[in-house]
Amino acid sequence: MEILQVKQIHKIYGEKENKVHALRDVSFTVDQGEFIAIVGTSGSGKSTLLNLIGGLDTPTQGQIIIRGHDIASLNRKELTIFRRRNIGFVFQNYSLMPVLNVYDNVALPVTFDRGKHMDHEYIRDLLKELGLWEKRKRYPNELSGGQQQRTALARALANKPALILADEPTGNLDSATTVEVMGLLKESSRKYSQTILMVTHNEALAQACDRIIRIEDGRLYERKKESEEPGRTYRSDRPHISDRPYVSDRSGESGRTAGKGGDRS
């Protein structure tokens, strides 16, 4: 089932000589349960794309459809409610409330949503699954970096969202904790059939995902991972790039558009 459709998205900042074309004709679809890496150099447009999908910014042209809803058609109040119920965010700097303990930080998105029942059993199971139940009464400044990021992941999962958007979630972590958090993201995707889009600079982390989408100069290049055969090594420097749109074999929707040039975001 398709959770996300991105259709011919353009994003332009500024006007005339100050105009910056951050994204150019970006299209792709995402199915439920996929774990997708969005990679690219600094300024390529990948964070801009994540912000648009998260409803934190609006496209200049095109559509972003989540669970059948064109988010650009929603007014501010509707978008706030939709985002709270359908999108979970995991940030590089954790963004936890310092005055709330672990449990209250995780439950916070549900607390804001007055029309939604607080599923305490689900939150308890989340905290146990992520190894945080024994630390539920601790505050962020009493946690390690890995524990804070696990708390942020639990908070993102608390509302059972359609999408989790993770922007460099391991950027502030050491290598051992990075491996731990990536394992938790993959396990969350599998156990809860959770769809995750993760922005990363780390090629090794991208290889652990189901799909890799590369953004360069505001254009999308979808790179299909080669099958893992015995004795075969995947060459990460050999992207599959097409100069024409493709049709997804699963959805029939227009997917990838590739080209050269363009301004950086």
Side-chain angles (χ1 to χ4, degrees):
M1 181 179 67
E2 284 183 355
I3 287 292
L4 170 66
Q5 295 173 295
V6 176
K7 297 184 174 182
Q8 298 176 316
I9 289 295
H10 293 258
K11 180 61 181 179
I12 300 172
Y13 295 102
E15 297 179 351
K16 298 181 179 179
E17 66 273 8
N18 295 321
K19 182 184 293 186
V20 175
H21 213 138
L23 292 173
R24 299 172 179 268
D25 198 23
V26 171
S27 297
F28 64 96
T29 61
V30 177
D31 285 347
Q32 182 172 342
E34 283 195 285
F35 187 3
I36 297 177
I38 301 175
V39 301
T41 57
S42 180
S44 60
K46 57 188 186 301
S47 291
T48 297
L49 176 61
L50 211 67
N51 288 339
L52 294 176
I53 294 172
L56 302 176
D57 200 355
T58 55
T60 305
Q61 180 182 328
Q63 290 180 298
I64 294 174
I65 300 172
I66 301 173
R67 279 184 174 166
H69 296 271
D70 181 356
I71 62 174
S73 68
L74 304 176
N75 62 38
R76 179 174 292 184
K77 183 177 179 180
E78 291 171 336
L79 179 59
T80 299
I81 294 172
F82 182 84
R83 185 168 54 225
R84 188 165 60 228
R85 293 180 176 177
N86 291 278
I87 303 172
F89 294 92
V90 180
F91 300 103
Q92 180 176 340
N93 61 354
Y94 322 132
S95 296
L96 300 175
M97 296 290 290
V99 297
L100 299 180
N101 63 28
V102 166
Y103 191 98
D104 290 339
N105 261 291
V106 171
L108 190 61
V110 190
T111 304
F112 283 147
D113 199 340
R114 297 177 183 176
K116 194 162 186 176
H117 169 68
M118 176 76 77
D119 190 343
H120 290 284
E121 184 176 350
Y122 173 69
I123 292 175
R124 182 195 65 197
D125 289 345
L126 267 181
L127 292 176
K128 286 185 176 180
E129 182 71 25
L130 296 175
L132 292 167
W133 181 247
E134 301 301 323
K135 302 183 186 301
R136 65 190 181 278
K137 295 183 179 180
R138 294 193 180 182
Y139 290 85
N141 64 356
E142 300 175 300
L143 304 175
S144 68
Q147 291 165 348
Q148 290 186 65
Q149 195 59 293
R150 277 187 273 159
T151 303
L153 175 58
R155 181 186 58 193
L157 288 164
N159 254 350
K160 303 175 185 177
L163 288 171
I164 286 183
L165 304 179
D167 193 358
E168 296 282 1
T170 62
N172 288 336
L173 305 177
D174 59 42
S175 57
T177 310
T178 292
V179 171
E180 174 192 348
V181 170
M182 274 298 295
L184 291 170
L185 285 169
K186 286 180 67 67
E187 178 63 17
S188 299
S189 177
R190 184 197 63 79
K191 181 172 182 178
Y192 301 108
S193 193
Q194 184 64 64
T195 308
I196 302 175
L197 273 67
M198 178 183 72
V199 163
T200 182
H201 285 93
N202 190 316
E203 187 68 30
L205 296 185
Q207 290 298 320
C209 299
D210 300 326
R211 287 165 60 192
I212 300 173
I213 291 175
R214 182 174 294 280
I215 302 287
E216 290 297 344
D217 297 323
R219 296 185 185 273
L220 183 148
Y221 301 84
E222 178 137 8
R223 189 168 71 206
K224 294 183 180 180
K225 295 174 68 175
E226 297 181 6
S227 59
E228 295 182 1
E229 300 176 3
R232 184 175 186 175
T233 303
Y234 177 70
R235 287 183 57 188
S236 62
D237 60 342
R238 191 175 61 189
H240 297 274
I241 297 176
S242 170
D243 290 326
R244 61 184 184 279
Y246 84 109
V247 177
S248 168
D249 56 1
R250 286 180 296 190
S251 65
E253 295 286 344
S254 292
R256 170 181 75 237
T257 314
K260 298 179 180 179
D263 295 320
R264 292 192 170 193
S265 60

